[in-house]
């Protein structure tokens, strides 16, 4: 029964990961009009489904690279995994309510790290082990990915505008929009490859705890398929609050910028998935969008960026605190009753956040409106004249 609850909770996290991170792939395409909102999330959902089957390298990192498996097993490990998932889900839902594109990946890792520390102490976490461990595989990429994405996207945007400087904008916009569809599709595929695997790794860890699998066994096909479907359904639901923040709240996005941002994100995410790095697709996409604003010479809404940065910094510790509290509560009550109590808290918290969101709904009807009643950023310098022939 505990194993079943853990699997259901893991798939619920995968679902929240889907709608929380739809913006990473489709926010810029929706903002520029390259894709209609419903078409965008449907396309993204299908490609997330396909991408989930392309690799299991990231899943192996999650399953074997966070918790010291020689320190714990059986139901104790199941409760650690369950408490970590609850921490990740609640932080995901809270940041979604605020429209903040925080990292679903770091919410999951933070929850798992917090519950592990609460159960086993600091030595229960694999902090560093050669080229593996939390510091190398999670913390270091978290620091580097958004900065690298911003630099690459800024250079790409600058070059795109310079190359097309003497061309009529009307002639280039349609081409860039078609390019955006291709690049956004690639980001969606990369997101499925990277993020669905994180839930696969968690379920694999639960099955190892239960004794159904050994830690060196192959990933079961049913685990891959269920995680692929869960993240695809979540993506199709559409995280409209976060889509609006990324598409309209940070910088004024035009088609060339959208193409540069999505191409940058896809390249970095796919590269990280190849090396088994559980990268934050959210931070990568946000860094790329920020870079396009810098590369174009447009004003960035730094207040919005500041809110995002605060959310990024808080994600690991806050999800960790929730995970630790959930483990302590489940452990205090003990056994199946403790797990059921925490599961009930999860359901109540999720329902409360959903009902609060209904006071200020965001959907396809207002996803391209400026958040918080703010207007578009003004140019920090005169825009490049696309019709200039000199």
């Amino acid at each position: 029964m505990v194993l079943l609850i853990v699997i259901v909770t893991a798939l619920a996290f995968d679902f929240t990961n889907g709608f929380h991170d739809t913006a990473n792939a489709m926010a810029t395409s929706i903002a520029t009009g390259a894709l209609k909102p419903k078409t965008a999330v449907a396309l993204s959902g299908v490609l997330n489904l396909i991408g989930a089957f392309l690799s299991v390298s990231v899943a192996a990192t999650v399953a074997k690279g966070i918790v010291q498996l020689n320190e714990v097993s059986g139901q104790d490990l199941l409760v650690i995994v369950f408490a970590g998932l609850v921490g990740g889900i609640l932080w995901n839902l809270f940041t979604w309510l605020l429209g903040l594109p925080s990292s679903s990946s770091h919410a999951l890792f933070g929850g798992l790290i917090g519950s592990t520390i609460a159960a086993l102490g600091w030595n229960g976490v694999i902090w560093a082990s050669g080229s593996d461990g939390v510091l190398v595989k999670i913390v270091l990429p978290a620091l580097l990915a958004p900065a690298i994405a911003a630099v690459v996207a800024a250079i790409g945007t600058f070059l795109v505008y310079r190359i097309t400087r003497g061309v009529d904008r009307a002639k280039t916009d349609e081409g860039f929009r078609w390019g955006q569809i291709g690049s956004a599709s690639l980001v969606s595929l990369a997101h499925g490859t990277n993020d669905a695997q994180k839930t696969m790794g968690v379920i694999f860890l639960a099955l190892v705890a239960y004794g159904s699998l050994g830690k060196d066994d192959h990933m079961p096909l049913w685990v891959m398929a269920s995680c692929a479907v869960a993240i695809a359904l979540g993506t199709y639901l559409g995280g409209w609050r976060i889509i609006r923040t990324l598409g309209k709240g940070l910088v004024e996005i035009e088609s060339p910028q959208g193409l540069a941002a999505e191409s940058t994100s896809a390249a970095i995410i796919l590269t990280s998935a190849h090396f088994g790095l559980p990268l934050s697709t959210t931070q990568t996409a946000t860094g790329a969008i920020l870079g396009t604003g810098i590369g174009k010479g447009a004003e960035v809404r730094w207040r919005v960026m500041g809110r995002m940065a605060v959310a990024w910094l808080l994600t690991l510790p806050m999800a960790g605190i929730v995970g630790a509290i959930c483990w302590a509560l489940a452990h205090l009550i003990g056994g199946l009753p403790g797990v059921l109590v925490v599961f009930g808290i999860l359901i109540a918290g999720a329902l409360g956040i959903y009902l609060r969101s209904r006071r200020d709904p965001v959907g396809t009807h207002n996803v391209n409106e400026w958040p918080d009643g703010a207007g578009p950023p003004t140019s920090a310098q005169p825009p490049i004249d696309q019709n200039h022939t000199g």
Side-chain angles (χ1 to χ4, degrees):
M1 188 63 183
V2 173
L3 175 65
L4 179 62
I5 292 173
V6 171
I7 292 174
V8 169
T9 307
L11 293 176
F13 171 82
D14 205 24
F15 181 81
T16 67
N17 191 344
F19 75 74
H20 197 280
D21 290 3
T22 309
N24 300 343
M26 292 300 172
T28 57
S29 294
I30 293 172
T32 62
L35 286 169
K36 294 181 179 179
K38 289 185 178 180
T39 303
V41 296
L43 176 62
S44 186
V46 171
L47 291 169
N48 268 272
L49 179 68
I50 296 171
F53 291 96
L54 297 184
S55 171
V56 292
S57 299
V58 173
T61 298
V62 175
K64 306 170 188 177
I66 297 178
V67 182
Q68 295 279 11
L69 296 180
N70 59 340
E71 298 286 336
V72 64
S73 61
Q75 184 163 302
D76 290 339
L77 180 55
L78 282 176
V79 175
I80 289 173
V81 173
F82 170 68
L85 285 166
V86 174
I89 291 173
L90 290 177
W91 184 254
N92 261 0
L93 293 176
F94 178 67
T95 51
W96 163 78
L97 178 65
L98 299 179
L100 292 175
S102 69
S103 171
S104 296
S105 306
H106 293 165
L108 173 62
F109 300 145
L112 288 174
I113 291 169
S115 61
T116 301
I117 291 174
L120 305 176
W122 288 93
N123 291 331
V125 177
I126 304 174
W127 296 108
S129 178
S131 60
D132 293 323
V134 169
L135 297 178
V136 175
K137 288 289 182 90
I138 297 174
V139 176
L140 186 61
L143 298 174
L144 294 179
I148 294 173
V151 171
V152 174
I155 294 172
T157 301
F158 177 81
L159 292 176
V160 165
Y161 275 106
R162 287 296 172 183
I163 291 170
T164 61
R165 184 173 183 176
V167 183
D168 184 4
R169 173 67 65 82
K171 296 179 181 178
T172 61
D173 271 358
E174 183 175 357
F176 279 123
R177 288 195 180 100
W178 278 106
Q180 270 195 275
I181 295 173
S183 58
S185 297
L186 195 57
V187 176
S188 295
L189 192 71
H191 182 262
T193 303
N194 192 285
D195 280 43
Q197 289 187 60
K198 295 160 188 172
T199 307
M200 294 180 201
V202 170
I203 295 179
F204 186 92
L205 190 59
L207 293 172
V208 170
Y210 187 71
S212 300
L213 294 174
K215 64 179 182 179
D216 296 320
D217 287 347
H218 294 291
M219 183 70 66
L221 180 60
W222 71 265
V223 174
M224 297 176 66
S226 59
C227 291
V229 170
I231 200 168
L233 290 175
T235 301
Y236 179 70
L237 180 66
W240 303 112
R241 291 173 177 273
I242 299 174
I243 289 175
R244 185 169 68 174
T245 299
L246 275 182
K248 304 298 292 187
L250 190 56
V251 297
E252 173 72 357
I253 294 288
E254 295 180 344
S255 297
Q257 294 169 263
L259 179 61
E262 291 156 0
S263 300
T264 299
S265 299
I268 292 175
I269 294 167
L270 286 173
T271 301
S272 70
H274 174 74
F275 289 106
L277 298 174
L279 193 70
S280 167
T281 56
T282 300
Q283 292 184 3
T284 304
T286 304
I289 291 172
L290 174 66
T292 66
I294 296 172
K296 182 190 173 188
E299 184 178 338
V300 177
R301 292 185 67 198
W302 291 107
R303 181 178 61 84
V304 176
M305 188 64 238
R307 290 174 59 196
M308 294 181 190
V310 170
W312 294 354
L313 292 173
L314 291 178
T315 294
L316 276 168
M318 292 303 296
I321 290 172
V322 176
I325 292 173
C326 289
W327 179 86
L329 183 59
H331 181 70
L332 179 65
I333 299 173
L336 179 60
V339 171
L340 289 174
V341 168
V342 175
F343 192 63
I345 292 173
L346 171 62
I347 293 174
L351 182 60
I353 291 172
Y354 171 76
L355 293 176
R356 176 62 182 82
S357 73
R358 292 298 85 200
R359 298 182 188 178
D360 179 28
V362 180
T364 56
H365 64 289
N366 63 352
V367 69
N368 277 333
E369 293 179 2
W370 292 95
D372 302 326
T378 57
S379 287
Q381 63 185 50
I384 297 170
D385 184 0
Q386 298 294 312
N387 296 313
H388 179 62
T389 57

